[in-house]
């Protein structure tokens, strides 16, 4: 049934692509996705088109009428980006898990950018196997960007990741502030009992090996990864203390940027120019934030000022970088506040812009960026596609049970 749905959706997609081409401004300006909107007048889209010279009027099309069904193949020339967590700091909720972005490429590669609390729920809803979540890039070491790592590391080999987990993250001002100490040593210490327990019951192969790659946070830009036609660059982000970075992933003439948490800065405006998809953090309005958190306004203002990017400043970033599509992420967004965010961004930018939502999917190709939402299966089982090379657990569970415990096992059921 699901396959049939997918086929009919594909047929609808190709059938409607000609019609959407003819609709032009209606398709762009009228596109509204679950309350958020790609706000681009035909005039502004035309300006974009002229300035870039390669895109057409339907360059960015939101398709609230089409679902993304998990399992859909990535086209060979396409970059597919899924927001797996758009939540803000302490505000993690069913509609918005902690920060994480999943990038899949037509060459078969896939990358996770950040792994905030609860994001694994969205990966599972979208039926991403753990074996596809083995390269994780961290913008900084706040737990709203890293806390699901322990789960991913521990449970990966129980499902189907039997290779080392690769984690790429920034150095710190001192070694103890860097990714090796915090994440490498931290994960090992946090998960020892869990790993031994699972290794005594499941075949894990190399699944509990960790490869930590530290990236010099001062480099502008530095190369975080270069393989199989994929280049991932990083540069400094300005976020409270030293050691935060932003990422740009490039492949096949396509590119996306994830800012991570940062104040608006010139490293971003230099490095993100002309990017296809600029996914940028966006701070809540301080007055709203203070009211919701029962926090003194001065504290809320300070959090935003020293660490984050208000919507108006985001508009300025878009104006200076001119992405094909700008996307808000990492902000507690409620429907009644869309207008406030749009007004802030559109102070400086009237090009294509989307307020990001969890499980929102961007199919990025040279021809078009299409925006859809993932169909929600709220009781999915995790999916595995790889098999271990051994079917024996690495550890012998009998070694972990004293005779006295063994005597108490019920056997008569
Ligand atoms: Zn954050
Ligand atoms: Zn942060």
């Amino acid at each position: 049934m699901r396959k049939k749905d997918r086929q009919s959706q594909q047929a609808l997609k190709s059938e409607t692509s000609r019609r959407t081409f003819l609709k032009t401004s209606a398709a762009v300006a009228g596109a509204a996705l679950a309350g958020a909107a790609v706000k681009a007048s035909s005039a502004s889209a035309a300006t974009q088109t002229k300035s870039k010279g390669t895109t057409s009027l339907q360059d960015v099309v939101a398709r609230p009428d089409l679902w993304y069904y998990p399992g859909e193949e990535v086209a060979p020339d396409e970059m597919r980006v899924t927001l797996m967590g758009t939540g803000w700091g302490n505000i993690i909720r069913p509609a918005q898990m902690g920060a994480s972005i999943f990038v899949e490429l037509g060459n078969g590669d896939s990358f996770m950018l950040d792994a905030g609390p609860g994001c694994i729920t969205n990966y599972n809803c979208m039926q991403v196997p753990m074996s596809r979540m083995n390269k994780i890039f961290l913008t900084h070491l706040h737990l709203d960007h890293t806390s699901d790592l322990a789960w991913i590391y521990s449970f990966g080999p129980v499902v189907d990741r039997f290779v080392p987990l690769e984690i790429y993250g920034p150095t710190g001002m001192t070694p103890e502030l860097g990714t090796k100490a915090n994440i490498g040593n931290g994960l090992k210490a946090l998960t020892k009992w869990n790993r031994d327990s699972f290794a005594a019951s499941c075949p894990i192969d190399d699944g509990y090996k960790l490869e930590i790659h530290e990236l010099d946070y001062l480099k502008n830009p530095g190369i975080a990864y270069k393989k199989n036609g994929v280049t991932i660059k990083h540069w400094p982000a300005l976020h409270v203390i030293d050691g935060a970075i932003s990422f740009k992933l490039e492949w096949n003439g396509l590119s996306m940027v994830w800012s991570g948490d940062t104040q608006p800065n010139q490293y971003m405006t230099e490095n993100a120019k002309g990017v296809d998809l600029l996914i940028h953090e966006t701070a809540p309005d301080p007055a709203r934030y203070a009211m919701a958190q029962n926090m003194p306004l001065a504290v809320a203002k300070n959090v935003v000022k020293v660490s984050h990017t208000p919507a108006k400043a985001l508009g300025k970033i878009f104006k200076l970088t001119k992405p094909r599509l700008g996307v808000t992420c990492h902000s507690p967004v409620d429907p009644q506040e869309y207008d406030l965010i749009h007004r802030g961004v559109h102070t400086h930018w009237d090009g294509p812009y989307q307020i990001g939502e969890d499980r929102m999917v961007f199919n990025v190709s040279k021809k078009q960026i299409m925006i859809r939402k993932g169909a929600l299966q709220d009781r999915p089982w995790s999916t595995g596609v790889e098999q271990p090379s051994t079917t024996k657990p690495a550890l012998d569970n009998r070694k972990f049970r004293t005779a006295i415990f063994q005597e108490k096992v019920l056997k008569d059921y």
Side-chain angles (χ1 to χ4, degrees), residues 6-157:
R6 220 180 300 147
Q7 282 169 345
S8 60
Q9 188 177 57
Q10 290 296 341
L12 182 63
K13 195 166 103 182
S14 52
E15 182 215 321
T16 51
S17 63
R18 194 181 64 85
R19 277 189 278 137
T20 44
F21 178 80
L22 297 173
K23 277 187 190 169
T24 58
S25 64
V28 178
L33 197 58
V38 172
K39 280 238 185 174
S41 67
S42 56
S44 65
T47 310
Q48 280 290 104
T49 304
K50 264 185 188 162
S51 64
K52 289 181 70 82
T54 53
T55 53
S56 53
L57 283 176
Q58 91 290 15
D59 185 41
V60 177
V61 183
R63 296 301 307 264
D65 52 325
L66 295 183
W67 290 105
Y68 165 83
Y69 287 98
E72 184 180 300
E73 300 259 319
V74 184
D77 60 346
E78 177 185 80
M79 172 187 288
R80 185 168 71 203
V81 179
T82 306
L83 303 182
M84 296 294 194
T86 62
W88 159 273
N90 58 307
I91 306 172
I92 305 303
R93 47 194 185 163
Q96 294 193 282
M97 298 297 177
S100 189
I101 294 165
F102 190 48
V103 183
E104 297 164 280
L105 305 176
N107 69 359
D109 288 347
S110 57
F111 304 88
M112 277 181 75
L113 310 181
D114 288 335
C119 74
I120 193 67
T121 311
N122 282 329
Y123 280 90
N124 199 21
C125 283
M126 300 297 262
Q127 292 286 279
V128 179
M130 304 294 291
S131 56
R132 302 276 289 159
M133 300 164 59
N134 66 330
K135 294 183 178 63
I136 308 180
F137 291 72
L138 304 175
T139 55
H140 64 299
L141 307 184
H142 271 153
L143 283 171
D144 61 315
H145 297 249
T146 64
S147 72
D148 271 8
L149 283 174
W151 193 95
I152 292 165
Y153 177 46
S154 301
F155 279 82

Side-chain angles (χ1 to χ4, degrees), residues 31-39 62 64 333 335 338 342 353-357 360:
L33 197 58
V38 172
K39 280 238 185 174
V333 179
Y338 288 148
H342 277 297
Y353 168 61
Q354 174 72 49
I355 294 177
E357 297 179 8
M360 187 173 270

Side-chain angles (χ1 to χ4, degrees), residues 65-381:
D65 52 325
L66 295 183
W67 290 105
Y68 165 83
Y69 287 98
E72 184 180 300
E73 300 259 319
V74 184
D77 60 346
E78 177 185 80
M79 172 187 288
R80 185 168 71 203
V81 179
T82 306
L83 303 182
M84 296 294 194
T86 62
W88 159 273
N90 58 307
I91 306 172
I92 305 303
R93 47 194 185 163
Q96 294 193 282
M97 298 297 177
S100 189
I101 294 165
F102 190 48
V103 183
E104 297 164 280
L105 305 176
N107 69 359
D109 288 347
S110 57
F111 304 88
M112 277 181 75
L113 310 181
D114 288 335
C119 74
I120 193 67
T121 311
N122 282 329
Y123 280 90
N124 199 21
C125 283
M126 300 297 262
Q127 292 286 279
V128 179
M130 304 294 291
S131 56
R132 302 276 289 159
M133 300 164 59
N134 66 330
K135 294 183 178 63
I136 308 180
F137 291 72
L138 304 175
T139 55
H140 64 299
L141 307 184
H142 271 153
L143 283 171
D144 61 315
H145 297 249
T146 64
S147 72
D148 271 8
L149 283 174
W151 193 95
I152 292 165
Y153 177 46
S154 301
F155 279 82
V158 175
V159 186
D160 78 335
R161 180 180 52 71
F162 306 110
V163 297
L165 183 61
E166 298 172 38
I167 297 178
Y168 301 74
T171 54
M173 287 177 74
T174 59
E176 65 266 28
L177 289 169
T179 301
K180 277 184 184 161
N182 280 257
I183 304 298
N185 301 344
L187 280 182
K188 288 274 185 191
L190 183 65
T191 64
K192 174 64 177 158
W193 195 92
N194 188 103
R195 282 184 289 120
D196 279 2
S197 161
F198 287 177
S201 54
C202 303
I204 55 167
D205 288 357
D206 290 332
Y208 283 146
K209 287 188 178 159
L210 263 183
E211 288 180 10
I212 306 289
H213 302 261
E214 275 201 345
L215 313 170
D216 181 351
Y217 76 90
L218 288 168
K219 283 209 169 157
N220 175 37
I223 304 290
Y225 181 95
K226 199 170 174 59
K227 210 182 277 182
N228 204 18
V230 183
T231 303
I232 301 179
K233 294 176 181 164
H234 63 94
W235 56 84
L238 309 184
H239 187 51
V240 206
I241 62 173
D242 289 31
I245 54 178
S246 301
F247 288 115
K248 179 182 189 183
L249 189 153
E250 299 167 293
W251 172 75
N252 191 36
L254 303 170
S255 56
M256 62 80 63
V257 164
W258 166 225
S259 67
D261 292 5
T262 186
Q263 290 173 268
N265 70 75
Q266 292 184 10
Y267 301 113
M268 176 63 71
T269 60
E270 286 165 16
N271 287 295
K273 275 197 171 54
V275 70
D276 291 298
L277 206 57
L278 175 43
I279 304 172
H280 203 291
E281 74 118 276
T282 317
D285 177 75
R288 164 69 172 139
Y289 182 35
M291 181 180 70
Q293 297 288 285
N294 196 26
M295 178 188 275
L297 181 59
V299 176
K301 279 184 174 169
N302 197 48
V303 169
V304 171
K305 190 176 164 195
V306 303
S307 329
H308 295 288
T309 299
K312 191 174 168 186
L314 180 61
K316 188 72 182 280
I317 295 282
F318 290 155
K319 182 182 179 182
L320 294 171
T321 53
K322 295 187 171 48
R324 272 172 83 191
L325 175 64
V327 180
T328 277
C329 190
H330 196 268
S331 188
V333 179
D334 294 311
Q336 59 271 39
E337 286 148 10
Y338 288 148
D339 189 51
L340 190 65
I341 298 171
H342 277 297
R343 268 189 283 135
V345 169
H346 289 301
T347 307
H348 295 291
W349 170 251
D350 64 355
Y353 168 61
Q354 174 72 49
I355 294 177
E357 297 179 8
D358 281 29
R359 300 178 307 280
M360 187 173 270
V361 178
F362 302 86
N363 294 78
V364 182
S365 67
K366 284 173 186 159
K367 183 173 160 238
Q368 187 183 71
I369 298 176
M370 182 166 64
I371 310 168
R372 289 176 293 166
K373 279 294 290 274
L376 179 61
Q377 149 68 297
D378 67 353
R379 296 183 190 218
W381 284 54

